[in-house]
Amino acid sequence: EDYTFVNETLTLNSGDTIFMYTDGVTEAMNWEQKLFGEERLLKVISEYSSENIKEIISKTLDGVAVYVDGYEQSDDITLLVLRYNG
């Protein structure tokens, strides 16, 4: 009731990739309680965007794991990556 939703259309070209994630990815914290953040996530995505989907997911999760260095996870970390092949 309290939300307004907007319908939008997106046209994908062959090879386009959609990367979706929960806030637990960007809000993952290290021992200094600093967030992984969107900038770091975008850097990982950019670096591996040409890889296959499994590799993009794996490298993103690896990047988060290295950053948090064993610090306790406080939220879910969920990724969904889709690639349109035409």
Side-chain angles (χ1 to χ4, degrees):
E1 257 176 55
D2 297 335
Y3 296 99
T4 302
F5 294 95
V6 177
N7 289 324
E8 293 190 32
T9 301
L10 176 66
T11 301
L12 299 176
N13 296 308
S14 184
D16 284 350
T17 303
I18 298 175
F19 185 99
M20 294 174 272
Y21 60 95
T22 58
D23 62 350
V25 176
T26 53
E27 293 176 0
M29 288 188 280
N30 63 12
W31 290 96
E32 297 174 332
Q33 296 191 344
K34 293 183 179 178
L35 301 178
F36 185 72
E38 288 182 19
E39 186 175 317
R40 195 169 278 106
L41 176 60
L42 288 171
K43 183 178 178 183
V44 172
I45 294 169
S46 294
E47 187 172 342
Y48 298 103
S49 63
S50 63
E51 300 291 333
N52 67 56
I53 290 173
K54 287 183 181 180
E55 193 70 13
I56 294 170
I57 292 170
S58 175
K59 293 298 185 181
T60 302
L61 294 175
D62 288 349
V64 172
V66 167
Y67 182 78
V68 301
D69 192 28
Y71 192 72
E72 186 177 338
Q73 183 177 331
S74 62
D75 200 355
D76 69 295
I77 293 178
T78 304
L79 303 174
L80 175 63
V81 181
L82 304 170
R83 180 164 290 147
Y84 179 67
N85 292 320

